[in-house]
C-alpha cells in the first residue's frame, strides 16, 4: 500500500477518535503502521495470510509495550489484506481496557489480564459473551540507565526496589558499589523515571519487585504507580526518551524501546551469573508460565522469582482482549483475520525480529484454537 494512499485515507478518517486521535503517531511508527527501523517491517507480505473478507477499519487501543510489534504486524498484514485498515493507538493498558469495556474498539491490548470487575463490564458490550485474554506478545522489561562512564551495570531486586522507592538516591551508594566493584560509579543523583499513565508495564515491573523484594517494596502493585517521588513520563517511549536524554537517569520499558545506545541493567537473580535483558533469556522465563484462566480465557501466571540459569524474570506478556461471543458483525471478520495472523507461525516470528519474545508453542496453539471460535 502506497504511502500517499495511506495519507489520503488517514485524512478521511481524521474525525474518528478513540480516546483521542487514532493515527499511528507513537514514537518509531510511520504512516503505514510499520515500525520504522523494525527488524521485519520491510519484509515482503506473508503469502499465506487469510483475509476472510476483512474490510473497512479496526479501531484498537491499549498496551504501549506491544506498539512496536503491532506496527510491524499491521504493515505486513495490510500489505496482504489491503481492504482493511487497522488503527492501534498505544495509549497504555488502562486506556485500552477502558475503551474495550465501553465498546469503542474491536480489541484491546493489555499487559495485565482482565480483573473480575472488568470482565463484568465487558459483558455489556459482548452480546451473550465476555472479554477474554489471549496471550500474544512476550518480552523482557528492560531497566535502562544513563550514567556517563558506566557501560555495564548489575542490580538485584532489593537494590532496584530501593532506587525506585527513593531509598537509594545516589549512583555511588554502597549497595550499587557492592554489585559493581569494577565500575567507576560517580557521585551523581539518581533520576528515577516511572510511567505517568496506567500501565501494564508498571504492573508487571512491580509484580517482579513484590515477588522478589517485598520488604523493600511495600506496595500492592497494579497499573498505577504507587511509590512516592521520582519523575514520570507517558508511555514506554516517553520513559525511554527521558532516560536517554538525562544523565543519571534510570527507568523501565520494554526491550524494543532500548534503542540508539540506551544501556540496560543486568539482573542478579541469584543464579550463578547476572542475566541480561534479551529475548532469548526472557523466553526461558516465560516458558515457566502456566495458564490460569478459565473457559476460553488464557491468562497466564508468570514465575517472577525464577533463579534458573539464563532466565530473565522481569518479563511481561501482552494480551489481546476480545469478546469470545458477541463481537460486532462489521468488525468480526477483520478481528479474526488479524488475530489469526499475529498468532500464526509467521506472526510470532515477527516478534523475535523486533526484540520481543514469542509465546511458548503449547500456549500459542491454544490461542489459535480460541481465535477460530470467536463469534
Amino acid at each position: 500500500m502506497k504511502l500517499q494512499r495511506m495519507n489520503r485515507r488517514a485524512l478521511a478518517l481524521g474525525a474518528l477518535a478513540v480516546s483521542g486521535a487514532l493515527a499511528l503517531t507513537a514514537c518509531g511508527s510511520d504512516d503505514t503502521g510499520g515500525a520504522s527501523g523494525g527488524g521485519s517491517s520491510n519484509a515482503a507480505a506473508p503469502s499465506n495470510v487469510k483475509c476472510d473478507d476483512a474490510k473497512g477499519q479496526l479501531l484498537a487501543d491499549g498496551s504501549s509495550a506491544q506498539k512496536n510489534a503491532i506496527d510491524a504486524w499491521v504493515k505486513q498484514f495490510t500489505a496482504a489484506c489491503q481492504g482493511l485498515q487497522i488503527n492501534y493507538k498505544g495509549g497504555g493498558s488502562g486506556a485500552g481496557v477502558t475503551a474495550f469495556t465501553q465498546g469503542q474498539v474491536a480489541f484491546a491490548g493489555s499487559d495485565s489480564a482482565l480483573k473480575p470487575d472488568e470482565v463484568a463490564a465487558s459483558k455489556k458490550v459482548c452480546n451473550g459473551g465476555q472479554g477474554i485474554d489471549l496471550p500474544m506478545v512476550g518480552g523482557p522489561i528492560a531497566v535502562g540507565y544513563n550514567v556517563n562512564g558506566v557501560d555495564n551495570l548489575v542490580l538485584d531486586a532489593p537494590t532496584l526496589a530501593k532506587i525506585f522507592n527513593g531509598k537509594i538516591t545516589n549512583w555511588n551508594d554502597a549497595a550499587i558499589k557492592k554489585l559493581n566493584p569494577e565500575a567507576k560509579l560517580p557521585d551523581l543523583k539518581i533520576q528515577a523515571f516511572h510511567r505517568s499513565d496506567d500501565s501494564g508495564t508498571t504492573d508487571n515491573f512491580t509484580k517482579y519487585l513484590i515477588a522478589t523484594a517485598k520488604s523493600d517494596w511495600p506496595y500492592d502493585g497494579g497499573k498505577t504507580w504507587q511509590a512516592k517521588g521520582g519523575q514520570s513520563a507517558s508511555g514506554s517511549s516517553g520513559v525511554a526518551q527521558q532516560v536517554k536524554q538525562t544523565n543519571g537517569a534510570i527507568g523501565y520499558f520494554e526491550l524494543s524501546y532500548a534503542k540508539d545506545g540506551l544501556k540496560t541493567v543486568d539482573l542478579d537473580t541469584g543464579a550463578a551469573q547476572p542475566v541480561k535483558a534479551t529475548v532469548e533469556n526472557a523466553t526461558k522465563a516465560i516458558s515457566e508460565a502456566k495458564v490460569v484462566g478459565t473457559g476460553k480465557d488464557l491468562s497466564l501466571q508468570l514465575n517472577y522469582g525464577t533463579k534458573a540459569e539464563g532466565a530473565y524474570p522481569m518479563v511481561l506478556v501482552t494480551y489481546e482482549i476480545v469478546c469470545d461471543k458477541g463481537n460486532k458483525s462489521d468488525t468480526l471478520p477483520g478481528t479474526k483475520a488479524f488475530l489469526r495472523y499475529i498468532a500464526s507461525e509467521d506472526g510470532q516470528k515477527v516478534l523475535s525480529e523486533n526484540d520481543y519474545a514469542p509465546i511458548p508453542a503449547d500456549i500459542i496453539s491454544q490461542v489459535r484454537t480460541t481465535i477460530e471460535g470467536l463469534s
Side-chain angles (χ1 to χ4, degrees):
M1 186 176 291
K2 294 182 179 180
L3 185 59
Q4 292 90 341
R5 181 180 176 188
M6 286 298 293
N7 284 335
R8 290 197 299 271
R9 183 173 294 177
L11 288 171
L13 294 169
L16 290 169
V18 176
S19 300
L22 283 165
L24 295 174
T25 56
C27 178
S29 67
D30 58 29
D31 290 341
T32 62
S36 57
S40 66
S41 58
N42 294 321
S47 59
N48 59 347
V49 173
K50 293 174 60 179
C51 299
D52 287 353
D53 299 321
K55 57 186 177 181
Q57 63 173 332
L58 288 182
L59 308 182
D61 195 2
S63 163
S64 68
Q66 69 169 358
K67 184 67 169 64
N68 291 335
I70 289 282
D71 286 351
W73 277 331
V74 166
K75 189 164 189 176
Q76 292 214 16
F77 179 82
T78 54
C81 304
Q82 297 187 18
L84 184 69
Q85 183 181 14
I86 301 171
N87 288 314
Y88 181 82
K89 180 189 176 187
S93 297
V97 171
T98 297
F100 180 77
T101 57
Q102 292 179 352
Q104 297 175 325
V105 293
F107 69 92
S110 177
D111 309 320
S112 301
L114 291 169
K115 292 180 169 53
D117 61 321
E118 294 167 341
V119 173
S122 74
K123 293 179 180 180
K124 298 177 182 178
V125 297
C126 300
N127 188 18
Q130 66 179 52
I132 56 172
D133 303 287
L134 302 179
M136 203 72 75
V137 182
I141 301 174
V143 176
Y145 70 97
N146 180 354
V147 181
N148 291 341
V150 180
D151 294 326
N152 297 286
L153 185 68
V154 175
L155 296 175
D156 58 14
T159 306
L160 274 172
K162 291 172 185 175
I163 287 172
F164 281 92
N165 198 27
K167 303 301 182 183
I168 292 178
T169 60
N170 202 287
W171 280 108
N172 64 357
D173 187 273
I176 303 177
K177 284 184 175 181
K178 184 177 180 180
L179 291 164
N180 300 272
E182 304 300 322
K184 296 180 179 179
L185 296 165
D187 182 5
L188 177 67
K189 182 181 178 181
I190 294 174
Q191 308 278 354
F193 285 89
H194 58 266
R195 289 280 290 272
S196 60
D197 52 320
D198 281 1
S199 161
T201 310
T202 293
D203 190 14
N204 285 275
F205 176 65
T206 55
K207 279 179 178 175
Y208 169 75
L209 296 180
I210 290 169
T212 56
K214 180 61 178 174
S215 61
D216 296 303
W217 193 257
Y219 305 103
D220 296 331
K223 295 186 182 76
T224 302
W225 184 258
Q226 295 175 321
K228 304 298 181 183
Q231 301 182 62
S232 64
S234 178
S236 292
S237 60
V239 173
Q241 183 61 31
Q242 289 297 322
V243 173
K244 181 180 178 181
Q245 66 188 23
T246 307
N247 186 32
I250 188 170
Y252 58 92
F253 39 79
E254 294 66 45
L255 183 62
S256 67
Y257 290 91
K259 302 293 187 182
D260 301 324
L262 265 176
K263 294 168 287 191
T264 60
V265 167
D266 296 347
L267 285 183
D268 182 344
T269 64
Q273 297 293 329
V275 186
K276 294 185 177 298
T278 68
V279 169
E280 294 76 15
N281 293 345
T283 298
K284 291 180 182 179
I286 294 172
S287 67
E288 298 184 22
K290 297 179 181 179
V291 175
V292 294
T294 58
K296 294 183 178 180
D297 185 88
L298 297 175
S299 56
L300 303 177
Q301 182 179 67
L302 298 170
N303 182 9
Y304 298 101
T306 181
K307 297 181 180 179
E309 296 298 328
Y312 185 88
M314 194 189 299
V315 296
L316 59 73
V317 168
T318 299
Y319 301 95
E320 310 312 329
I321 296 171
V322 66
C323 296
D324 59 353
K325 297 178 182 178
N327 290 280
K328 295 178 181 178
S329 59
D330 59 335
T331 59
L332 178 60
T335 300
K336 288 184 71 170
F338 183 62
L339 294 181
R340 180 187 295 120
Y341 163 63
I342 68 178
S344 71
E345 187 174 332
D346 283 339
Q348 289 290 294
K349 183 180 178 182
V350 168
L351 294 177
S352 58
E353 295 171 351
N354 287 276
D355 294 323
Y356 293 96
I359 300 300
D362 59 332
I363 297 174
I364 202 67
S365 66
Q366 296 179 61
V367 172
R368 292 167 185 157
T369 299
T370 303
I371 290 169
E372 295 307 320
L374 298 179
S375 62

